[in-house]
Amino acid sequence: MSPLVVHGLWSRGRGIVLWGEHGARPATTSMRPSSAARPHPFAASVADLTALHPGKPATAVLLLPSRRGGPIASPELGARGRPQPEPTLEPWSVPALLIDPSELEDLAETVGYGTSVRHLRAVVRLADDLVRRGRVLPTLVRNEIVARARWRPVARGGDAVAVRALIAATPPVGRAEHPGPDPAALVTDALHTLVDAAVRDRLGAAGLATESDGREGPFGSWLHALKSADDRVTQSPGRMGIVAEGIAAWDAIGDTDLTEGTVCLRLDEVPTLHGPADDPDDQTGDGTKWQLRFLLRSAADPSLLLPAEDVWSGKAGAKFTDPKVSSPPSWSVPPGYCRCSAPRSRPRGRAPTTSLSPKPWSSSMAARNSWSRPDSTSSSRRAGAAGGSSR
């Protein structure tokens, strides 16, 4: 069986879209200059995709690097042939599959997944983490026809750094849909949509989802729409102005505002200044005592921790400014706040444990030949998906 590589993208208004390429591909394809999308000659079929993941069949038109012989295979399939002239972006139509975000946590072992799929999985994980930590706010979206109650992410400080990293790491194939939006708009739309769906799922699982009968007034209708599967408010958009005014303070809280830093409290075990005998400061029996330290973690560089006294005295200076970062740090999990814990009982001479470091995620998201460079990071994949197994 020829190798199969699966790619993914976020399609505005549709959600997560998977498509794929077969390794067995024609050497050349008839290609004439045209603005109309042509069928991709070695794209995977919908049957190939549904053998890996359940979903809804669809199609997508993608702008892919191409030459006169046809579209160029992705780096995951491997380059072949002699060096060619610079490619151009041409529209190609591919069979696709709309999937639930949870499918990205259950990848098959029998096929390869491109960097775009791993990037989408990082976006989904960030959205789930924001919901789990309650970093969301309700809002109201309306036009002349309909008003909708939505949940939106609030990504500040370390979370804003994570959002910026995802935007910077968006691979070209992840925004290849024609016409493709810019990475910031794409990631923002994905986070807002995923967060709204995740909150409603949690409310439904907790038995808090309700249906509106349309008799509660503007605020009651808005609250019902926040808890139901349908986000449409039963009141007319004109009557919802009072709600928009009431939640204006919440709407003013930016979901990508970058604060200068977050507070970190760290508990350290330090030697005392007295001798071992009759030491009034000895708190451990080992000539040491506990010291609570106040530090500030830079939002521009989460690995940077400075003592609070340096910040208050002005010594920190420009260390917390972000000088137009051209390559923001990449984090798979937002660093958040420091977590310090002291065990109730511990072996003599062992200090309390302190968790300070976020988990870095792969930095190999760089584009190559208008595609994305494959990542060496292994992912959890489901066995036997393409070899005739069923789900």
Side-chain angles (χ1 to χ4, degrees):
M1 180 179 294
S2 62
L4 175 64
V5 174
V6 178
H7 305 286
L9 57 88
W10 178 263
S11 179
R12 302 184 71 172
R14 296 197 296 176
I16 296 176
V17 175
L18 296 184
W19 67 282
E21 300 173 290
H22 272 298
R25 55 193 185 274
T28 59
T29 301
S30 176
M31 178 175 167
R32 299 176 181 175
S34 173
S35 59
R38 296 168 292 272
H40 194 293
F42 49 92
S45 66
V46 169
D48 294 329
L49 298 173
T50 54
L52 303 172
H53 300 279
K56 180 180 178 181
T59 59
V61 176
L62 309 177
L63 287 174
L64 299 176
S66 309
R67 296 193 179 98
R68 290 188 60 84
I72 300 174
S74 66
E76 287 85 354
L77 280 180
R80 69 174 196 167
R82 292 175 299 177
Q84 300 290 332
E86 284 298 315
T88 59
L89 291 178
E90 300 291 339
W92 297 94
S93 176
V94 299
L97 194 68
L98 303 177
I99 65 166
D100 187 88
S102 61
E103 287 296 310
L104 296 182
E105 296 296 335
D106 193 17
L107 303 183
E109 291 183 344
T110 53
V111 299
Y113 288 87
T115 305
S116 57
V117 175
R118 293 187 285 274
H119 180 266
L120 280 173
R121 185 166 58 182
V123 175
V124 172
R125 287 177 174 175
L126 176 58
D128 289 341
D129 186 59
L130 290 171
V131 173
R132 179 185 60 82
R133 292 185 287 117
R135 307 299 294 171
V136 299
L137 279 176
T139 189
L140 177 71
V141 179
R142 57 180 179 149
N143 54 29
E144 297 81 5
I145 301 174
V146 66
R148 299 181 182 274
R150 303 298 300 263
W151 294 93
R152 68 177 182 87
V154 178
R156 300 173 66 87
D159 293 328
V161 173
V163 172
R164 289 197 317 167
L166 287 172
I167 292 171
T170 304
V173 68
R175 47 186 167 87
E177 192 169 31
H178 179 60
D182 67 273
L186 202 65
V187 172
T188 299
D189 182 74
L191 283 176
H192 280 241
T193 303
L194 292 168
V195 161
D196 182 76
V199 173
R200 294 177 194 277
D201 287 345
R202 283 180 172 250
L203 292 174
L208 300 177
T210 59
E211 297 297 333
S212 172
D213 59 12
R215 297 179 297 179
E216 304 86 356
F219 276 99
S221 298
W222 177 65
L223 291 173
H224 273 296
L226 284 171
K227 296 186 290 183
S228 65
D230 189 350
D231 64 358
R232 290 175 295 182
V233 179
T234 55
Q235 302 288 323
S236 66
R239 293 196 61 192
M240 298 303 294
I242 186 174
V243 176
E245 294 176 3
I247 63 174
W250 287 347
D251 286 339
I253 299 177
D255 59 357
T256 55
D257 289 346
L258 185 62
T259 57
E260 290 191 356
T262 54
V263 174
C264 175
L265 306 180
R266 189 165 73 182
L267 190 61
D268 292 334
E269 185 180 16
V270 298
T272 65
L273 299 178
H274 303 280
D278 300 325
D279 186 353
D281 294 330
D282 187 355
Q283 298 175 337
T284 65
D286 297 326
T288 60
K289 64 180 180 180
W290 297 116
Q291 184 181 74
L292 181 62
R293 299 184 61 198
F294 292 80
L295 305 104
L296 189 66
R297 182 196 296 276
S298 170
D301 179 6
S303 65
L304 176 61
L305 283 169
L306 290 180
E309 57 266 26
D310 289 351
V311 178
W312 293 332
S313 66
K315 292 181 180 179
K319 292 183 180 179
F320 277 87
T321 61
D322 187 7
K324 298 181 180 180
V325 178
S326 59
S327 179
S330 297
W331 304 95
S332 60
V333 179
Y337 292 95
C338 296
R339 300 181 300 277
C340 304
S341 59
R344 292 182 179 179
S345 61
R346 61 179 181 84
R348 291 174 59 87
R350 182 170 298 175
T353 59
T354 305
S355 174
L356 293 174
S357 301
K359 299 178 181 178
W361 62 313
S362 174
S363 60
S364 59
M365 292 283 191
R368 184 179 70 183
N369 214 10
S370 300
W371 274 90
S372 56
R373 188 181 303 277
D375 196 329
S376 61
T377 304
S378 62
S379 58
S380 173
R381 298 181 177 176
R382 186 178 65 252
S389 63
S390 60
R391 294 193 55 163

